[in-house]
Amino acid sequence: MKTIKLFAYLILASFLFACGGDSDDAAPVGNSLSATVTGDISASFNASGEVQGQKLVQANLTSSSNGNVLSIVASEGTGNSMAISIINFDGAGSYSLAITSNNTATFTSVNTSTFETTGVTATSGNIEVTVSGNVISATFSFSGEGNNDVQAEVTGQFSVTAEEQ
C-alpha cells in the first residue's frame, strides 16, 4: 500500500510540474547576432545564449545629453567577435555606417591555432532597424577595412533587448 501511495504522489507531483505557469511567465528570448563575412576574412558568425553564465550578446542603450547610444557586443566560443554602436539612436530607421558617420561596426576573427587576430571596421554600409515592443531587430551590411589592407564584406542581423544604462 505504501508503494501505491508513493507512486500516486509521484504522478501528482509530475502533473503539477508539467503544468507549470502560464505563458506570460516565460523568459524572453535571448539576444542574438549572426553574420556572414567574405573577402580576406571568411567566417560564419553566430552568437546567442550564454556560456558559463556569461551572455554572448550584450546590448545596452545609454542615454546622455548628446542622445541615445545603442551598443551591441557579441562573441562566439571560437573567439570571433562583433561590435556595433549606433550614436543618436532614435528607434526604427536607417543608420549609416559610412566612415564619416559616428556609427561603428567591427568584426574580429581569431586564429585558434596561433591566437592572432584579424579585424575590419566598417567604412561604408548601413543598418536597417525595426522595433517591436522592447525588441530591437536589424539587418546590416558593410564593407570593412583593417590592418595590412585586409578587406571584407559583412552582412547579418541582430535581435536584442537592450538594457538601459
Side-chain angles (χ1 to χ4, degrees), residues 1-143:
M1 188 69 167
K2 287 182 181 181
T3 306
I4 293 174
K5 284 184 179 179
L6 179 61
F7 186 71
Y9 285 127
L10 289 173
I11 290 175
L12 179 60
S14 68
F15 281 126
L16 290 174
F17 287 115
C19 292
D22 56 347
S23 62
D24 292 340
D25 295 335
V29 175
N31 295 338
S32 65
L33 189 149
S34 61
T36 301
V37 184
T38 57
D40 295 331
I41 304 172
S42 179
S44 180
F45 182 87
N46 265 314
S48 65
E50 295 182 357
V51 171
Q52 297 179 346
Q54 298 295 316
K55 292 180 182 179
L56 295 178
V57 180
Q58 186 72 35
N60 294 310
L61 184 59
T62 307
S63 180
S64 73
S65 60
N66 295 328
N68 293 326
V69 177
L70 176 64
S71 301
I72 302 164
V73 177
S75 62
E76 291 182 308
T78 61
N80 295 343
S81 63
M82 284 199 71
I84 297 173
S85 291
I86 302 174
I87 310 300
N88 294 321
F89 179 75
D90 193 28
S94 183
Y95 297 89
S96 174
L97 288 172
I99 199 165
T100 56
S101 79
N102 290 326
N103 304 323
T104 61
T106 61
F107 174 79
T108 304
S109 175
V110 176
N111 181 326
T112 55
S113 61
T114 63
F115 300 106
E116 292 180 37
T117 61
T118 305
V120 292
T121 300
T123 56
S124 65
N126 67 343
I127 303 172
E128 295 293 329
V129 175
T130 59
V131 178
S132 177
N134 62 352
V135 176
I136 302 167
S137 300
T139 58
F140 57 87
S141 176
F142 67 88
S143 296

